[in-house]
């Protein structure tokens, strides 16, 4: 039953993608290549990037920046969530700042980073951290607060040490929230990194997109965009696989919602 | 006489209601003792403060005034002293959904740093004794309510606690399952020489399980106490039952 459902969903997704590609190919017959390049051109440029080490290195550079930014924001977010969770006083100081930070557009952080810092990598790291930190903090905090009081009391009845409590109760409780936070922030980070590279870098997917724009090369622009989309899809699937394994204990209803 | 395992001396517990709606007196100058090897059933209507009393013994909350001592220690403050000394069977099974039945029973043993091989042997043994052999690798959602409660009993017994606390553990189960588990529970407590406090709102359950029955009125204070003699004629037990019913019915305004 579940296999059938997965197959149906896969077929539906494939069908809608094929329709979109078909429409694009039809449009390419009526418009110049700088507006709608033919699909085979886009495919060959996309594969070309993957097969050329110098070009692939640009994609990997962007991927590394995304991971570094997300990791930085995650570590800081965990520390802030623990601090907030432990003290209502700290919460009343930090939460308004995080809410304020959430309202600042990514582009503003790009401008601020360019003015404040010289190093390109640190600029991008700073932008990534500042744009994803509030979401990470709030999501980890929510996961921590959703911990069952009943399970907490039950575990405490055995008088665990702090580290044991963390290992047997807190980690398993917050893992689903952490995985969701990574999935949500990955998409945000992929968008932000392009903006950061577009304005303040000399390499990476964003920088390559800027070059394609200057050359009016639509096939190249789409090929570079697809690299980022592919990267996000691969990482999302990896997180989904980890999630499937980590949450394998959950009961699944045969009836879909 | 041996030192009591549990001693309550003029214990009161007041809860502060949120939004300044005043205080709630849950336990009022309660005094009682539980001797080693004794099973004490605490009986009272819903909302009479039985669970607060239970939480005080378990060290999950601190008394507002008075003294609670378990094996001579303060259960709230002497956190370390009670590692592995108290086993609790809660009203709900409180199983960790991400752990299998076996891993749930292993929880307390892991916390006590028991050798993993020995812990596995002990946990499997308890599951077997409680009729759950073959379900070791099942997650809680795949078990029935009765099976889950058995796992929680196995979890409490596995750490070899000196004191067992049970807060209406069978109240959510059907009568047949509850009856079987009650018998199993009493057998295990006696066989292993444990001291137990069993909280319930059912007269028959209290009389079946307890060596002594404490009837509570709200706020938790002992209104009646009866020692249960299992060899006593049916008439004597009936008299005690009627007396308990009378005492319970005297309580005005307790929630149903």
């Amino acid at each position: 039953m579940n296999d059938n459902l997965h197959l149906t969903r896969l077929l539906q997704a494939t069908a809608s993608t094929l329709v979109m590609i078909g429409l694009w190919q039809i449009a390419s017959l009526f418009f110049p290549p700088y507006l709608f390049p033919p699909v085979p051109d886009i495919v060959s440029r996309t594969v070309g990037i993957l097969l050329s080490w110098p070009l692939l290195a640009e994609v990997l550079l962007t991927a590394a920046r995304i991971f570094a930014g997300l990791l930085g924001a995650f570590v800081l977010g965990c520390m802030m969530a623990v601090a907030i969770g432990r003290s209502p006083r700290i919460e009343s100081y930090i939460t308004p700042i995080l809410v304020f930070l959430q309202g600042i557009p990514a582009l503003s952080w790009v401008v601020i980073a360019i003015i404040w810092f010289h190093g390109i990598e640190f600029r991008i790291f700073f932008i990534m951290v500042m744009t994803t930190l509030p979401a990470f903090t709030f999501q980890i905090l929510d996961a921590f607060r959703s911990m069952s009081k009943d399970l907490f009391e039950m575990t405490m009845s055995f008088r665990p040490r702090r580290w044991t409590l963390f290992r047997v109760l807190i980690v398993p409780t917050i893992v689903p929230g952490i995985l969701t936070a990574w999935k949500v922030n990955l998409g945000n980070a992929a968008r932000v990194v392009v903006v950061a590279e577009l304005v303040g870098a000399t390499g990476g997917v964003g920088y390559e997109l800027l070059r394609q724009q200057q050359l009016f090369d639509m096939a190249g622009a789409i090929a570079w965009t697809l690299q980022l989309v592919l990267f996000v899809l691969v990482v999302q699937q990896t997180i989904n696989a980890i999630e499937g394994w980590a949450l394998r204990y959950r009961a699944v209803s045969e009836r879909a919602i | 006489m041996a030192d009591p395992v549990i001693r309550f001396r003029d214990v009161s517990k007041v809860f502060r209601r949120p939004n300044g709606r005043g205080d709630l007196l849950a336990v009022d100058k309660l005094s009682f003792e539980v001797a080693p090897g004794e099973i004490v059933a605490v009986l009272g209507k819903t909302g009479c403060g039985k669970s607060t009393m239970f939480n005080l013994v378990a060290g999950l909350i601190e008394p507002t005034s008075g003294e609670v001592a378990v094996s001579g220690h303060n259960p709230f403050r002497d956190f370390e002293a009670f590692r592995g000394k108290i086993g609790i069977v809660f009203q709900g099974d409180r199983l960790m959904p991400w752990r299998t039945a076996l891993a749930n029973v292993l929880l307390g043993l892991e916390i006590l740093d028991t050798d993993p091989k020995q812990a596995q042997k002990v946990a499997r043994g308890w599951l077997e004794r409680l009729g759950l052999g073959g379900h070791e690798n099942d997650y809680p959602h795949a078990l029935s309510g009765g099976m889950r409660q058995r796992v929680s009993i196995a979890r409490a017994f596995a750490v070899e606690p000196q004191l067992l606390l049970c807060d209406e553990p069978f109240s959510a189960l059907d009568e047949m399952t509850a009856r079987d588990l009650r018998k199993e529970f009493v057998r295990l407590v006696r066989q292993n020489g444990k001291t137990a406090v069993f909280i319930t709102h059912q007269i028959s359950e209290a009389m079946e399980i307890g060596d002594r029955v404490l009837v509570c009125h709200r706020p938790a204070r002992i209104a009646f106490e009866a020692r249960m003699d299992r060899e006593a004629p049916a008439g004597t037990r009936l008299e005690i039952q009627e007396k308990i019913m009378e005492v319970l019915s005297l309580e005005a305004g307790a929630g149903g």
Side-chain angles (χ1 to χ4, degrees):
Chain A
M1 182 117 179
N2 266 343
D3 286 347
N4 279 343
L5 190 69
H6 281 139
L7 188 66
T8 310
R9 284 188 179 163
L10 189 69
L11 286 173
Q12 286 166 340
T14 311
S16 61
T17 310
L18 286 174
V19 167
M20 194 176 72
I21 292 170
L23 288 173
W24 184 279
Q25 183 60 28
I26 292 167
S28 74
L29 300 174
F30 299 98
F31 294 95
Y34 67 86
L35 289 181
F36 285 92
V39 172
D41 275 9
I42 298 172
V43 173
S44 85
R45 294 289 294 275
T46 307
V47 175
I49 294 170
L50 290 171
L51 295 179
S52 153
W53 171 245
L55 296 181
L56 185 63
E58 299 294 322
V59 180
L60 295 177
L61 177 65
T62 299
R65 284 168 176 162
I66 292 175
F67 275 128
L70 284 178
L71 197 64
F74 173 68
V75 171
L76 261 176
C78 282
M79 286 160 61
M80 291 175 96
V82 168
I84 292 171
R86 289 178 70 126
S87 158
R89 183 172 291 183
I90 292 177
E91 180 179 11
S92 52
Y93 282 114
I94 292 182
T95 305
I97 296 171
L98 288 172
V99 172
F100 174 77
L101 292 181
Q102 254 183 332
I104 300 176
L107 201 57
S108 302
W109 284 119
V110 174
V111 174
I112 292 166
I114 290 171
I115 295 170
W116 275 358
F117 309 112
H118 286 295
I120 290 169
E121 294 310 324
F122 188 76
R123 272 182 196 163
I124 294 174
F125 179 75
F126 174 78
I127 295 161
M128 302 293 290
V129 169
M130 295 314 287
T131 48
T132 52
L133 178 65
F136 259 127
T137 309
F138 288 134
Q139 280 156 344
I140 293 164
L141 190 63
D142 275 352
F144 184 71
R145 284 184 170 158
S146 69
M147 183 166 62
S148 154
K149 178 178 164 280
D150 283 356
L151 287 184
F152 177 76
E153 284 181 355
M154 183 278 294
T155 310
M156 290 306 277
S157 74
F158 289 109
R159 289 1 198 214
R161 291 179 188 87
R162 241 172 232 275
W163 166 246
T164 315
L165 178 72
F166 184 74
R167 183 172 59 79
V168 300
L169 180 68
I170 296 174
V171 170
T173 302
I174 65 173
V175 157
I178 287 177
L179 290 171
T180 306
W182 270 87
K183 279 202 281 190
V184 171
N185 285 310
L186 178 70
N188 291 339
R191 283 186 284 275
V192 171
V193 79
V194 172
V195 177
E197 288 178 340
L198 202 72
V199 182
T202 53
V205 174
Y207 173 72
E208 290 298 334
L209 280 171
L210 181 67
R211 281 188 56 219
Q212 308 310 313
Q213 181 243 308
Q214 286 163 349
L215 297 168
F216 258 70
D217 183 353
M218 180 59 92
I222 293 171
W224 281 104
T225 305
L226 284 177
Q227 304 300 322
L228 207 59
V229 174
L230 281 173
F231 165 76
V232 171
L233 282 177
V234 168
V235 179
Q236 290 273 18
Q237 287 308 311
T238 309
I239 296 174
N240 283 344
I242 295 170
E243 196 174 47
W245 176 81
L247 308 182
R248 64 193 179 285
Y249 60 84
R250 284 186 175 174
V252 179
S253 172
E254 286 188 15
R255 185 180 289 279
I257 294 169
Chain B
M1 189 182 150
D3 287 340
V5 176
I6 299 173
R7 193 180 60 229
F8 268 51
R9 198 172 281 169
D10 292 328
V11 174
S12 295
K13 179 67 188 176
V14 178
F15 289 107
R16 183 141 297 170
R17 287 190 169 113
N19 308 324
R21 290 190 293 124
D23 293 339
L24 173 74
L25 180 64
V27 176
D28 186 20
K29 292 183 180 160
L30 181 65
S31 296
F32 71 94
E33 290 183 352
V34 177
E38 192 179 21
I39 303 179
V40 171
V42 179
L43 179 68
K45 288 183 178 175
T46 305
C48 77
K50 303 187 295 290
S51 292
T52 304
M53 198 169 133
F54 174 90
N55 288 336
L56 285 163
V57 181
L60 298 174
I61 54 175
E62 195 175 21
T64 310
S65 65
E67 184 203 354
V68 177
V70 177
S71 302
H73 293 277
N74 179 326
F76 186 82
R77 294 194 180 264
D78 299 344
F79 190 81
E80 299 272 329
F82 287 94
R83 185 164 293 140
K85 302 278 169 53
I86 301 178
I88 302 183
V89 186
F90 293 92
Q91 199 165 10
D93 54 71
R94 301 199 186 188
L95 298 183
M96 290 178 163
W98 56 85
R99 285 179 165 243
T100 60
L102 179 67
N104 266 291
V105 180
L106 281 168
L107 177 73
L109 297 163
E110 271 179 48
I111 290 172
L112 296 179
D113 298 325
T114 309
D115 169 62
K117 273 188 185 168
Q118 175 65 17
Q120 283 268 341
K121 198 177 151 195
V122 170
R124 283 180 190 278
W126 275 105
L127 284 175
E128 197 70 43
R129 284 168 87 170
L130 283 157
L132 289 167
H135 292 282
E136 291 87 350
N137 297 320
D138 287 343
Y139 284 103
H141 73 77
L143 301 172
S144 69
M147 289 161 100
R148 285 202 296 268
Q149 198 56 285
R150 279 195 181 98
V151 175
S152 80
I153 292 172
R155 179 180 61 196
F157 274 93
V159 295
E160 293 286 331
Q162 292 167 355
L163 174 64
L164 272 157
L165 301 176
C166 306
D167 186 8
E168 303 188 31
F170 313 132
S171 61
L173 303 177
D174 64 87
E175 187 45 43
M176 292 300 284
T177 311
R179 198 182 63 180
D180 290 347
L181 285 179
R182 268 197 293 271
K183 281 185 180 155
E184 187 66 17
F185 174 80
V186 173
R187 189 179 66 78
L188 291 171
V189 172
R190 301 244 181 270
Q191 216 172 53
N192 294 279
K194 308 289 181 203
T195 304
V197 174
F198 194 99
I199 289 184
T200 180
H201 61 263
Q202 292 180 39
I203 299 172
S204 58
E205 189 172 60
M207 290 179 67
E208 188 183 333
I209 285 181
D211 296 325
R212 194 153 53 105
V213 177
L214 305 180
V215 183
C216 284
H217 273 183
R218 187 171 66 177
R221 59 190 167 79
I222 294 164
F224 177 69
E225 184 178 339
R227 193 161 286 280
M228 303 305 301
D229 180 1
R230 296 192 194 284
E231 306 303 320
T236 311
R237 292 179 69 82
L238 197 65
E239 270 175 36
I240 294 173
Q241 187 175 342
E242 278 171 3
K243 179 68 185 168
I244 290 173
M245 284 172 78
E246 189 189 318
V247 172
L248 283 174
S249 64
L250 281 176
E251 186 182 12

